[in-house]
Amino acid sequence: MKHNKKRNTAFIYETLARELTKAIVAKSPRQKQNIVSLIKEHFAAGSVLRTELHLYQTLLETTNIHQNVAERILHETKFAHSKLDTREVFDAQSRLIAAINKELGKDVWSNFVPNFKSLASVNAIFNSKTAIKKKVLFEQSMVDRMSAQTPPGPSTHLKPIDNLTYHSFIKKFNDKYGDLLQEQKDLLNRFITSFADEGFELRVYLNEELTRLKKEITSATEDSTEPLVTQKLEGVAEYLEEFRKREFTEGDLNKVLKTQELVQELRAND
Amino acid sequence: MISIKIGGPQATVELQARKALDGSLLITDHKKIDIAVVPGSMKVTTFPKTTSSEDVYEFQNRLLEMLADEGVVDRASIQGGNVFRSLEGIIYETDAVNPLQAAVYVIAEFIEVEHQHEQIADNYEKELEDMYTHPSDRDSTEYGEVPQYAEKGSMRPGYYYYPLRNRY
């Protein structure tokens, strides 16, 4: 049996809700007002469409219940739906569809509704023209879904940290990073916060710091009497010079930090 | 005896700027470049904004040239910085005026001038686009005003063109 989505009250409501969201995001107050008026008019309290929508919601929004209870809810919902005047529902739907086409345009029907399949299943359960075999299968599937026990998700609450854990964390952090040089801390600080200003402050700092490092390395190279040390220092100077020709990357951070340490050691040896 | 000093600042400028931890003034008004006034080394350093995809050397050079022209930066000191695509110049030191304030004042002037140039360029671009998308009555015809013909240009209906026929 083919499912006519325009004759599915829950689908119409869902489509309107999505169109309303689009209008709000697009800052279109006129469209928004039109949709709200349509919903208020056609889904008013006591209206036949509101009653039918409520029956759809009863089946679709009920979860985590016992199988017997699910079966009873399904039975009662079907009974309540059978009490509705089919002709009245059809006419109300026709009026709403015509109003949507006129006020909002036919593009509304192309809105994507994620739970379309579930809505179609409920529609098939309520529809008297659905084949008995299919109806029973849909009903069983609905009962299974309503009675499925969903495992509780991971807790979103942060676990409280006691003082011992906190002090242990601070101690470990200080043991690892406490002996950093002041200039290393400054560089790391600017590197970490560089996302905030697109690295402007980091580049200003690097520009100055590289000048200092180059000066120190050059001075140490001139003072060095050992050829091997001189050669290595020249290599470091060349590496620092490269930053004139290419961007500073995350991979360079470690090397610059080590160069800062090297300069500190050279100064201490003087 | 109470002495009263009369007079406030000679000039004030408004900039989108903030002070870094080391006291540098980071100015971000310009659309293409970031400008830093570094008091520690008395430098004005410019960097391209990470969002600017084009070559920004011209903007950087214009700024430092202007600073040199106004006598704030030593022209001989203008050079590429240690960071890729940076350009810097050293500010003259003097006791007569606050050199950093003078530099900031000239930078504000530069940003104002650049802003005017940018507006002119934007307006020109918009006019050019309008010329193509909304042409005047003199440069356009109404739909249907020029009747269509069965043949247009080199396209002849029913005639199949064989470009290499009789050649080989």
Side-chain angles (χ1 to χ4, degrees):
Chain A
M1 198 195 85
K2 200 180 168 190
H3 171 245
N4 183 358
K5 63 183 180 182
K6 288 185 192 173
R7 292 290 163 192
N8 185 328
T9 305
F11 179 86
I12 300 174
Y13 183 79
E14 201 60 40
T15 306
L16 282 174
R18 285 185 181 269
E19 192 64 20
L20 180 63
T21 312
K22 273 163 72 177
I24 291 167
V25 172
K27 292 178 182 167
S28 169
R30 200 175 162 187
Q31 181 85 339
K32 180 189 151 195
Q33 192 51 46
N34 281 344
I35 300 165
V36 171
S37 304
L38 279 176
I39 293 174
K40 277 185 180 171
E41 186 187 338
H42 294 270
F43 290 95
S47 68
V48 68
L49 290 183
R50 173 77 169 263
T51 314
E52 198 189 17
L53 177 67
H54 182 67
L55 296 175
Y56 272 88
Q57 286 169 343
T58 307
L59 290 184
L60 290 167
E61 291 169 11
T62 310
T63 50
N64 274 330
I65 53 167
H66 198 270
Q67 191 166 359
N68 292 342
V69 182
E71 278 170 4
R72 280 202 61 196
I73 287 176
L74 178 64
H75 182 262
E76 290 298 326
T77 315
K78 272 175 65 185
F79 180 71
H81 192 267
S82 68
K83 290 283 178 194
L84 291 175
D85 185 349
T86 324
R87 190 75 230 169
E88 196 185 344
V89 172
F90 187 86
D91 288 344
Q93 283 175 341
S94 301
R95 280 197 299 276
L96 177 55
I97 293 165
I100 289 173
N101 287 340
K102 191 181 167 194
E103 300 280 331
L104 310 174
K106 291 186 178 179
D107 289 343
V108 173
W109 303 111
S110 52
N111 276 340
F112 177 66
V113 177
N115 61 342
F116 172 73
K117 276 189 175 179
S118 308
L119 297 176
S121 301
V122 179
N123 184 260
I125 291 168
F126 287 155
N127 197 334
S128 56
K129 289 175 186 168
T130 310
I132 294 171
K133 190 180 167 186
K134 277 190 179 175
K135 198 181 243 188
V136 171
L137 289 173
F138 280 136
E139 285 178 10
Q140 187 56 47
S141 158
M142 187 57 65
V143 169
D144 289 346
R145 196 191 57 76
M146 286 161 78
S147 57
Q149 297 295 319
T150 47
S155 173
T156 52
H157 297 290
L158 290 173
K159 285 182 184 173
I161 300 172
D162 58 23
N163 277 345
L164 186 66
T165 317
Y166 179 72
H167 287 302
S168 170
F169 169 74
I170 294 290
K171 190 173 177 300
K172 276 187 183 174
F173 185 88
N174 287 340
D175 286 348
K176 194 167 182 181
Y177 299 108
D179 56 349
L180 284 177
L181 302 169
Q182 186 54 44
E183 51 265 35
Q184 288 178 318
K185 285 178 187 169
D186 287 345
L187 177 58
L188 276 175
N189 185 14
R190 281 165 175 90
F191 181 77
I192 292 163
T193 56
S194 64
F195 70 91
D197 61 353
E198 294 174 347
F200 184 20
E201 199 178 330
L202 173 69
R203 284 184 287 170
V204 173
Y205 179 79
L206 264 179
N207 197 42
E208 299 303 311
E209 183 63 0
L210 287 173
T211 310
R212 185 184 75 86
L213 293 176
K214 273 186 200 175
K215 201 175 163 188
E216 295 276 355
I217 295 283
T218 311
S219 166
T221 313
E222 284 166 1
D223 296 345
S224 169
T225 49
E226 291 183 42
L228 192 64
V229 175
T230 310
Q231 193 186 342
K232 293 284 180 193
L233 287 173
E234 280 171 354
V236 175
E238 273 174 33
Y239 174 73
L240 295 178
E241 192 63 23
E242 273 181 32
F243 292 116
R244 281 177 184 270
K245 300 168 197 162
R246 66 173 178 84
E247 290 284 359
F248 179 85
T249 60
E250 205 175 327
D252 295 315
L253 180 69
N254 203 19
K255 286 188 180 176
V256 175
L257 288 170
K258 281 182 178 166
T259 311
Q260 286 175 322
E261 209 171 329
L262 172 70
V263 166
Q264 176 65 21
E265 277 178 30
L266 290 170
R267 207 186 289 167
N269 288 340
D270 281 348
Chain B
M1 185 182 161
I2 301 169
S3 61
I4 300 170
K5 200 176 177 182
I6 298 172
Q10 289 177 324
T12 55
V13 291
E14 270 188 39
L15 290 168
Q16 281 178 21
R18 67 187 174 83
K19 213 169 187 180
L21 292 172
D22 59 353
S24 305
L25 192 65
L26 311 176
I27 302 165
T28 54
D29 284 77
H30 200 277
K31 279 188 177 174
K32 308 284 181 189
I33 57 172
D34 287 330
I35 305 160
V37 180
V38 189
S41 53
M42 292 298 279
K43 273 183 195 172
V44 173
T45 315
T46 66
F47 305 92
K49 278 199 191 301
T50 48
T51 47
S52 55
S53 53
E54 62 197 284
D55 190 11
V56 297
Y57 172 76
E58 284 301 324
F59 299 101
Q60 294 172 300
N61 191 41
R62 271 208 296 274
L63 168 66
L64 287 161
E65 282 292 327
M66 188 172 173
L67 283 163
D69 288 346
E70 299 286 341
V72 176
V73 159
D74 179 7
R75 196 181 296 275
S77 72
I78 298 173
Q79 59 171 7
N82 286 307
V83 171
F84 186 50
R85 297 172 79 196
S86 64
L87 199 68
E88 63 184 25
I90 293 174
I91 303 168
Y92 283 121
E93 289 190 54
T94 171
D95 295 331
V97 289
N98 185 333
L100 295 174
Q101 284 186 3
V104 171
Y105 184 75
V106 176
I107 290 168
E109 267 187 359
F110 167 79
I111 288 167
E112 180 61 31
V113 170
E114 288 281 304
H115 181 64
Q116 287 168 6
H117 287 176
E118 247 169 51
Q119 265 189 336
I120 292 168
D122 287 349
N123 287 344
Y124 172 74
E125 212 168 280
K126 198 169 175 293
E127 273 176 26
L128 195 70
E129 197 180 298
D130 279 351
M131 193 180 81
Y132 289 124
T133 54
H134 300 98
S136 63
D137 290 346
R138 190 169 161 273
D139 297 328
S140 62
T141 54
E142 284 297 318
Y143 178 67
E145 195 178 322
V146 179
Q148 56 177 316
Y149 299 101
E151 285 182 22
K152 274 284 189 187
S154 61
M155 301 298 287
R156 291 170 60 187
Y159 178 78
Y160 296 99
Y161 183 59
Y162 296 103
L164 301 178
R165 177 177 277 181
N166 301 328
R167 287 202 177 201
Y168 295 99

